[in-house]
Amino acid sequence: MQSYFFHLMPWTDYPDDFDEKYESSWVTFPNTFYDPIKGADLYNRYLDELEYADTLGYDGICVNEHHQNAYGLMPSPNVIAGMLARRTKNAKIAILGNGLPLRANPLRIAEEIAMLDVVTRGRIISGFVRGIGCEYLSLDINPTFSREMFYEAHDLITRAWTEPGPFEFLGKHYQYRYVNVWPRPYTKPHPPIWLPSAGSSETIEFAAQHRYPYVSVFTPVDNVKRLLNAYRTCAREQFGYEPDPVQLGYAPGMYVSDDEQRAKEEAAAHAEFFRAKAFKIPPHFLIPPGYVTENSLRGFLAAGLGQGGPLGDAIAGTPKTVIERLIADYEFLGGFGYIIAGAGPGNATHEQTVKHMTLFQTEVMPTLKKYHAQKTAR
Amino acid sequence: MTTPQERYVQAGDYRVRILEAGQGEPVLFLHGAMGAGIWTEGIARLAEQFRVLLPDHPGFGPSPLPEWLRGMDDMVFHYLDFLDAVDIREPVYLAGASFGGWIAAEFAAFHPERVKKLVLIDAAGLRIPSVPMPDIFRLPPQNILPLVFHDLSKAMALMPKDFGPDTIIQMFHDRSAFARLSWNPYLHNPKLPRRLHRATMPTLLIWGQQDQLIPPAYAEEYKRLLPSATIAYIDQCGHDPTIEQPEEFARIAGEFLRETRI
């Protein structure tokens, strides 16, 4: 059982009239509300927290990519990973992930990840994502080509990492006469690829096919169960193997503190901030036309798209409570091989975040690791 | 008023649904983004004067979004196949509304020899930097309707009775095909202005005076770029004259198409 510490790097100051006046913190929320002076403090605080996760002994630290929003200020996860590469020593740096269709030239992703992997001597996990729907408005990428571009860029990058160059690549979206990436990755055959996802059936199938670790972020536990079971079924029935626990992750909304009541109150405040501010996204931003298949849309509608906050059932409490709940979830989900503990989402303070991440790693994880070891030893 | 017959034809390797009614010379009517399979009152009235064919664009209505549809040129080639499929070999009356108007303008520029007369109705396709078009891909449906309709009661009459999953998915399907060709560049082709001088056929630009989606300035821009175009504005009318002012639309379009003097 491995532990990961995920940072969203949120912007924390919203105008008082945000709820009435702005449809979303994404796409159209004016960047005049961004203050670079405060931004400098925030970036450095967040980087300190990620570095501290390495000191605490987390197996990995996670960064991600989002564009033109106040939700998370990492338009380039590879830049953030570059900052962390030489300031951390042991933790894997999980980039969850690069939005493949969002880069006009995906060979740049192959190059940048290879650079990071070589510098860190193999501490890079390379997540591949499509980006959420808003990204396609913010960067003006045609969402109807998203999936096609994703698959094609995936093939290009993995071939660029593994096949001797130069070679020719002929795709629908990308054509290269000379694929010949310098440096080649340190990890053989290439850095681990993870597929974080919002839960489309096609992504689950693709992940299962390639045996890529799958995780659904900010998803209620009932849906996580459905998705992990879909992965297991797909692996078994379509690809003829039993997935290893390391392929299945769990990333619940979670907040640990040293007082039960205070933990719940603070978590509720963070969740409310997340719901009302950071993740305020209308459906037409979240799912632009052609971004998902009609099959997936039917699934989302059936699952109640947009109903209930993603952190509605956040796990909050003292380490004891959180352990109990995680073990219950472990059983409910049929096990998982890694867990992602987010930085207190939304507007958690530095002190709250440090307490949460410390208690989780030092008091929750040992029990969870032991439990997982016992379960998988049988 | 005419009632259309539905049939399917094979255009190249693609199966197309057509609604069709009327007698006389054919008018190929290219629908707007949300107009697949919708026989509006204006189209029905036009079909009292002509044989009107209303095919679904590839990816709209019951048709799957074809893998080969990647740009407006693919659409133009598709309509060459379509005209063969319905055995229209002579130059045809070509009408298009909104997104369909853009397709019609592209087709006319590429193949002026196949178009006898051109009717563009509140057509997309151009972009005047100083005259913005609202981004309908980032607006909720309730904010789009007032941009499209001058008289919102006309919109309400066309609303689906239920908004269940099937309706939502069908709308998503049509919007996806629309987005395939319209997302970026948004609702226009930067190459079109330089090409439009090839479309020398008589052209009528029918425009809702109160169109807030593609404002009348775009009619003027089409007129400037097309060699033989005139404009007919319709008052008390938003983006779709075939719905909001059907009689006036059919009268103006009919007179233009019948007129022999150029």
Side-chain angles (χ1 to χ4, degrees):
Chain A
M1 172 70 68
Q2 297 193 328
S3 61
Y4 288 82
F5 178 73
F6 198 144
H7 219 306
L8 293 175
M9 299 203 168
W11 184 247
T12 52
D13 287 355
Y14 286 76
D16 293 340
D17 58 357
F18 175 80
D19 295 353
E20 309 82 56
K21 198 168 168 190
Y22 298 98
E23 59 188 334
S24 179
S25 58
W26 295 68
V27 186
T28 52
F29 183 47
N31 67 355
T32 45
F33 289 109
Y34 184 80
D35 170 6
I37 308 299
K38 168 154 187 173
D41 291 342
L42 273 182
Y43 267 130
N44 284 289
R45 176 198 136 187
Y46 293 157
L47 285 161
D48 286 346
E49 289 165 3
L50 282 162
E51 289 169 21
Y52 185 55
D54 179 47
T55 310
L56 283 171
Y58 278 84
D59 295 285
I61 50 180
C62 314
V63 300
N64 70 352
E65 170 176 347
H66 288 300
H67 295 271
Q68 305 201 135
N69 69 92
Y71 166 93
L73 288 158
M74 285 183 281
S76 172
N78 300 346
V79 168
I80 297 287
M83 296 174 193
L84 294 167
R86 282 178 46 86
R87 300 269 302 173
T88 56
K89 296 293 171 232
N90 300 307
K92 296 264 187 190
I93 300 170
I95 300 163
L96 303 181
N98 270 282
L100 302 190
L102 310 179
R103 282 292 273 272
N105 192 333
L107 213 47
R108 294 285 303 270
I109 296 172
E111 290 176 334
E112 289 166 11
I113 296 292
M115 284 171 68
L116 290 164
D117 194 48
V118 171
V119 168
T120 59
R121 295 191 168 85
R123 284 195 289 123
I124 298 299
I125 290 169
S126 174
F128 290 157
V129 297
R130 294 197 293 130
I132 73 167
C134 306
E135 255 70 85
Y136 290 78
L137 285 158
S138 287
L139 295 184
D140 228 325
I141 309 280
N142 191 319
T144 76
F145 287 124
S146 162
R147 197 166 286 280
E148 228 180 61
M149 294 165 89
F150 178 81
Y151 293 141
E152 198 173 303
H154 163 272
D155 293 349
L156 167 69
I157 293 167
T158 50
R159 284 187 59 193
W161 283 340
T162 53
E163 291 182 23
F167 64 86
E168 185 179 50
F169 184 89
L170 294 175
K172 286 179 194 160
H173 295 276
Y174 314 112
Q175 299 86 28
Y176 296 89
R177 282 173 287 171
Y178 310 106
V179 178
N180 192 23
V181 166
W182 287 70
R184 292 194 295 128
Y186 187 89
T187 308
K188 298 291 173 261
H190 57 72
I193 292 170
W194 286 17
L195 291 191
S197 162
S200 76
S201 49
E202 293 81 8
T203 302
I204 290 173
E205 185 179 329
F206 186 75
Q209 180 189 351
H210 293 276
R211 304 189 180 214
Y212 293 152
Y214 174 85
V215 64
S216 179
V217 182
F218 292 143
T219 307
V221 69
D222 289 342
N223 281 348
V224 175
K225 179 172 181 151
R226 182 174 59 80
L227 299 169
L228 294 188
N229 282 344
Y231 187 104
R232 292 186 180 105
T233 305
C234 188
R236 245 174 250 145
E237 293 179 4
Q238 288 193 51
F239 304 108
Y241 73 92
E242 194 61 35
D244 189 285
V246 298
Q247 283 169 257
L248 301 170
Y250 185 37
M254 189 161 48
Y255 183 70
V256 195
S257 194
D258 48 14
D259 177 86
E260 191 72 17
Q261 189 57 31
R262 199 172 66 239
K264 287 193 189 325
E265 285 169 9
E266 288 173 358
H270 302 156
E272 176 56 19
F273 174 88
F274 188 83
R275 184 196 64 75
K277 306 280 195 290
F279 207 70
K280 182 181 181 185
I281 306 178
H284 51 281
F285 277 23
L286 205 53
I287 305 189
Y291 170 71
V292 296
T293 62
E294 287 157 32
N295 191 34
S296 285
L297 179 59
R298 196 173 286 280
F300 290 145
L301 291 171
L305 172 73
Q307 289 167 15
L311 296 178
D313 62 349
I315 302 168
T318 59
K320 180 171 175 292
T321 316
V322 171
I323 288 168
E324 284 168 9
R325 172 66 193 276
L326 286 178
I327 285 176
D329 285 0
Y330 185 96
E331 289 300 321
F332 178 68
L333 295 170
F336 45 84
Y338 61 98
I339 184 160
I340 298 178
N347 57 349
T349 64
H350 175 65
E351 290 69 27
Q352 289 171 342
T353 303
V354 167
K355 183 170 282 181
H356 156 72
M357 64 195 286
T358 306
L359 288 173
F360 180 79
Q361 181 62 18
T362 59
E363 299 197 24
V364 175
M365 267 319 281
T367 308
L368 203 57
K369 280 192 186 200
K370 208 161 128 190
Y371 189 81
H372 176 69
Q374 286 168 354
K375 297 294 278 191
T376 47
R378 282 180 200 146
Chain B
M1 288 237 295
T2 52
T3 308
Q5 299 292 309
E6 180 183 294
R7 66 180 173 118
Y8 283 80
V9 296
Q10 189 72 24
D13 60 1
Y14 197 74
R15 194 162 174 263
V16 180
R17 180 183 69 169
I18 316 175
L19 298 183
E20 184 174 355
Q23 305 290 323
E25 286 198 77
V27 176
L28 173 58
F29 194 102
L30 304 182
H31 64 75
M34 301 313 282
I38 299 178
W39 194 258
T40 64
E41 190 183 336
I43 295 173
R45 289 184 182 277
L46 194 63
E48 291 169 352
Q49 311 166 56
F50 301 92
R51 173 190 166 208
V52 177
L53 297 92
L54 180 74
D56 294 333
H57 304 313
F60 288 76
S63 312
L65 181 62
E67 182 275 337
W68 50 259
L69 186 70
R70 310 181 81 77
M72 195 47 94
D73 52 343
D74 299 310
M75 194 66 103
V76 169
F77 274 78
H78 165 76
Y79 276 106
L80 288 173
D81 288 343
F82 175 81
L83 287 176
D84 289 349
V86 293
D87 201 28
I88 294 177
R89 311 285 169 177
E90 298 297 315
V92 68
Y93 292 148
L94 180 62
S98 187
F99 175 63
W102 176 11
I103 300 170
E106 295 266 2
F107 187 92
F110 272 101
H111 291 283
E113 77 285 358
R114 302 297 296 267
V115 182
K116 190 172 178 182
K117 289 185 181 180
L118 178 67
V119 179
L120 302 181
I121 305 145
D122 298 76
L126 300 176
R127 184 69 177 85
I128 309 166
S130 59
V131 185
M133 291 186 286
D135 182 359
I136 53 177
F137 292 125
R138 64 147 276 241
L139 293 173
Q142 65 269 24
N143 292 15
I144 297 172
L145 287 178
L147 300 170
V148 174
F149 291 94
H150 177 63
D151 176 358
L152 266 181
S153 66
K154 300 276 174 55
M156 295 311 154
L158 290 167
M159 284 293 106
K161 295 288 175 285
D162 89 284
F163 263 95
D166 289 342
T167 303
I168 293 172
I169 287 168
Q170 182 62 52
M171 290 173 74
F172 184 77
H173 174 77
D174 285 12
R175 276 171 65 83
S176 298
F178 176 44
R180 174 55 66 89
L181 300 189
S182 308
W183 187 271
N184 180 10
Y186 175 62
L187 269 182
H188 74 288
N189 178 358
K191 294 181 175 179
L192 185 58
R194 188 177 150 73
R195 295 172 175 176
L196 279 177
H197 77 95
R198 306 281 309 171
T200 49
M201 69 292 298
T203 298
L204 180 64
L205 304 159
I206 301 179
W207 228 270
Q209 190 91 57
Q210 286 79 28
D211 186 348
Q212 293 184 64
L213 196 59
I214 305 179
Y218 284 90
E220 305 290 339
E221 185 68 354
Y222 263 115
K223 182 174 186 304
R224 187 177 72 79
L225 294 163
L226 285 161
S228 310
T230 54
I231 303 177
Y233 287 117
I234 300 183
D235 197 16
Q236 302 299 305
C237 184
H239 184 63
D240 193 337
T242 79
I243 292 172
E244 286 206 74
Q245 297 291 347
E247 284 179 50
E248 182 70 351
F249 160 76
R251 186 187 64 76
I252 293 171
E255 278 176 12
F256 167 72
L257 292 176
R258 277 194 306 276
E259 186 181 56
T260 49
R261 183 181 54 82
I262 297 168

